[in-house]
Amino acid sequence: MNEAAALPHGPPMNILPPTPAGLESLYTLCRKIYPDQVNPLQVTALLKYWLGGPDPLDYISMYANPGIPQENIPPHWHYISFGLSDLHGDGRVHDVSAPDGVSGFGFELTFRLKREPEETAPPTWPATLMQSLAKYVFQSGNTLCAGDHVSWHCALDNSESRVQHMLMTTDVQLQSTQTPFGSVDFVQIVGICVEELKAAQQWNGAGVLNMISRLPSAGGVWFITDMRRGESIFELDLNSHEEVERGFELEGSNLSGVSARCSWMEQDPSHADMHLKEKSDCDNTHPQDTLRLNPTLPKSIQNANFEQNRSSSTNFKMDEIRNSSGVLESTELLHIKKLDGVHLVFNLEAGSLLPLAIRGRVKHGRHFTFKSVLGETAITLVASTVTGTLVDPEHPYVAQGSWLQILITDELAQDMAVTFQVLASPEALSLPKTFSWPDKKLSVTIVADKL
């Protein structure tokens, strides 16, 4: 008997299964940019997410980009994620969507890291960073869009770097693409300093990105992160402060809300005592859980571009707050209560954003929300021109369950803008510090971050 004839028919046992169609579409796009790097280095989730693994991103490819030195675009490492979009199309991770919809969450993350002369291989810490952001997206359902910003509060690579926070932008080389399971955008992470984060909060992320694009040493037009960067945009361009302040005064802030450590109390009009609505928020929260994304377990995210003409679930909108499972979850929320007076409590980091909330939002006819990092509590400050609210001049304090809305009149906003100026230098405050408007039956107390 012929030995070959005895062999079983069918494909050899060592042939790999075909690449999932969604993944192949993204690989094809990458090969157009990097035709000489068909098999780039990859970080791979050993146990896939749909099998119970901890990391949502199946793969993160790492390419060596030569840059364009003559245009001040240095050589760098280009990281691209695969897994926030639907790679498989069979429901194992994402709900199956039509080809003309969005694939999965509709985007993948990228990151550009300046390549140091001595480096022969890309550092792998950006992959850990991207997995942490992906975990936040999967856990919260919130997407990331160009202009959004993320406070991280430590160097992105755990070094002594000043680059400790992130802005999001559109990847300059990777354009929106169509896959068999829907469209995919590419959102690039940009490392920024604390001064740049504050500017994005005060004004908007798009304005700060524009300033970064004009400064090659801060990132340039390709927004390349340099972890050894020693100067912020305000040190590199002495006119930057004026540009931010001018934009803030003319346009207000695009920051519509933050996850924060906060609580509110109903003030009994006949007694000085208060009834705490969510005491645990101010008594038991660790300060590291406030206004930040924890590098190991993302808990909160700050977002910009609320006023842009796009729908971004990462921002707090009046209708979204009303329907948000994070705020309106229990049957108690069906109950609406009009209050005679209220007392608000914020930790120092959250309270330091009150000047922004008043000057950058309310005085521009907008609203601003502080949402508890622990429970369902939320506090929304609204201008009289905001529609769809529960408050009115007759009833300026209205609670829907644990969500409190406060009407800030023009006169009160002007007074608050002046009163809250001391919060611009929070280190000089003696805490706890209470601001009161007795005629309005309104008090605001700022407590220390560390209890």
Side-chain angles (χ1 to χ4, degrees):
M1 183 177 182
N2 189 305
E3 190 172 290
L7 294 176
H9 294 286
M13 296 301 292
N14 63 344
I15 287 184
L16 294 174
T19 303
L23 181 60
E24 182 59 37
S25 294
L26 302 184
Y27 280 169
T28 299
L29 183 64
C30 293
R31 282 193 287 267
K32 291 179 181 178
I33 299 174
Y34 299 104
D36 58 337
Q37 300 178 58
V38 178
N39 295 303
L41 290 173
Q42 274 192 333
V43 173
T44 304
L46 295 180
L47 183 61
K48 300 306 181 191
Y49 194 68
W50 66 87
L51 296 176
D55 298 321
L57 301 176
D58 285 5
Y59 310 99
I60 299 170
S61 290
M62 302 177 287
Y63 294 91
N65 193 303
I68 310 176
Q70 63 271 26
E71 296 182 16
N72 286 319
I73 300 170
H76 58 276
W77 306 110
H78 192 191
Y79 300 77
I80 303 170
S81 78
F82 305 96
L84 284 163
S85 63
D86 191 351
L87 306 180
H88 305 275
D90 56 9
R92 71 179 70 181
V93 179
H94 301 281
D95 292 337
V96 179
S97 62
D100 58 350
V102 297
S103 173
F105 288 106
F107 74 101
E108 293 289 352
L109 290 169
T110 75
F111 182 64
R112 296 178 186 270
L113 178 67
K114 184 179 179 181
R115 181 174 181 174
E116 301 301 333
E118 68 275 11
E119 288 180 338
T120 57
T124 57
W125 63 261
T128 303
L129 184 74
M130 295 167 84
Q131 287 284 14
S132 292
L133 289 174
K135 287 177 186 176
Y136 167 77
V137 173
F138 271 83
Q139 291 167 6
S140 68
N142 293 340
T143 58
L144 296 171
C145 302
D148 288 348
H149 59 276
V150 178
S151 60
W152 199 254
H153 290 278
C154 71
L156 303 187
D157 61 352
N158 292 316
S159 68
E160 298 300 315
S161 173
R162 290 183 64 180
V163 179
Q164 301 185 357
H165 306 282
M166 290 166 273
L167 270 172
M168 302 296 153
T169 190
T170 301
D171 193 290
V172 69
Q173 287 184 294
L174 290 168
Q175 306 300 315
S176 179
T177 189
Q178 195 68 31
T179 77
F181 312 129
S183 62
V184 180
D185 295 327
F186 294 88
V187 178
Q188 182 178 324
I189 302 163
V190 184
I192 58 173
C193 305
V194 63
E195 298 89 345
E196 295 153 359
L197 172 74
K198 290 180 178 178
Q201 292 174 335
Q202 180 179 355
W203 181 22
N204 59 57
V208 176
L209 286 167
N210 183 50
M211 289 190 286
I212 289 174
S213 71
R214 303 196 302 258
L215 300 167
S217 57
V221 293
W222 282 24
F223 300 102
I224 298 168
T225 298
D226 180 3
M227 294 305 297
R228 297 184 182 180
R229 174 158 69 102
E231 296 175 302
S232 73
I233 59 175
F234 301 103
E235 294 162 312
L236 294 168
D237 181 0
L238 298 181
N239 295 319
S240 293
H241 276 295
E242 292 182 10
E243 185 173 347
V244 171
E245 185 62 26
R246 185 168 57 251
F248 177 63
E249 289 297 332
L250 292 176
E251 304 168 12
S253 173
N254 275 15
L255 181 65
S256 62
V258 292
S259 297
R261 188 170 152 226
C262 61
S263 65
W264 61 269
M265 311 168 193
E266 179 180 0
Q267 180 175 348
D268 188 324
S270 60
H271 298 86
D273 60 325
M274 308 290 179
H275 305 288
L276 183 63
K277 185 62 187 174
E278 191 170 323
K279 191 172 187 299
S280 62
D281 275 8
C282 279
D283 287 354
N284 299 321
T285 307
H286 192 282
Q288 288 184 345
D289 290 339
T290 306
L291 294 169
R292 66 170 291 178
L293 267 173
N294 186 292
T296 56
L297 181 60
K299 282 196 173 184
S300 64
I301 190 166
Q302 301 174 20
N303 309 286
N305 278 353
F306 180 83
E307 298 295 324
Q308 298 298 317
N309 293 322
R310 62 171 175 79
S311 175
S312 170
S313 60
T314 61
N315 297 303
F316 302 130
K317 299 180 176 66
M318 295 300 294
D319 56 345
E320 288 176 354
I321 296 171
R322 184 174 293 109
N323 299 312
S324 167
S325 61
V327 179
L328 302 179
E329 214 165 55
S330 67
T331 55
E332 176 198 1
L333 299 175
L334 300 175
H335 177 62
I336 294 176
K337 184 177 181 181
K338 297 170 183 177
L339 311 175
D340 289 312
V342 293
H343 187 168
L344 314 180
V345 181
F346 301 95
N347 76 313
L348 182 58
E349 188 175 2
S352 66
L353 290 177
L354 284 168
L356 181 154
I358 299 299
R359 291 181 56 217
R361 297 292 298 180
V362 174
K363 292 190 72 175
H364 286 267
R366 302 170 187 167
H367 56 81
F368 191 90
T369 295
F370 294 91
K371 182 181 175 184
S372 167
V373 293
L374 286 188
E376 298 177 348
T377 292
I379 301 168
T380 298
L381 310 178
V382 301
S384 57
T385 55
V386 176
T387 59
T389 68
L390 302 175
V391 293
D392 56 47
E394 296 271 329
H395 306 98
Y397 314 121
V398 178
Q400 184 174 13
S402 52
W403 175 31
L404 175 67
Q405 295 183 28
I406 300 178
L407 177 63
I408 307 295
T409 63
D410 293 345
E411 178 187 4
L412 181 56
Q414 182 60 37
D415 192 0
M416 283 182 161
V418 175
T419 301
F420 288 151
Q421 283 180 355
V422 295
L423 294 172
S425 303
E427 66 282 352
L429 284 180
S430 177
L431 300 176
K433 172 72 173 177
T434 297
F435 306 92
S436 296
W437 291 266
D439 60 320
K440 305 289 186 183
K441 299 177 184 176
L442 172 65
S443 298
V444 177
T445 294
I446 310 298
V447 299
D449 286 329
K450 295 182 180 180
L451 301 176

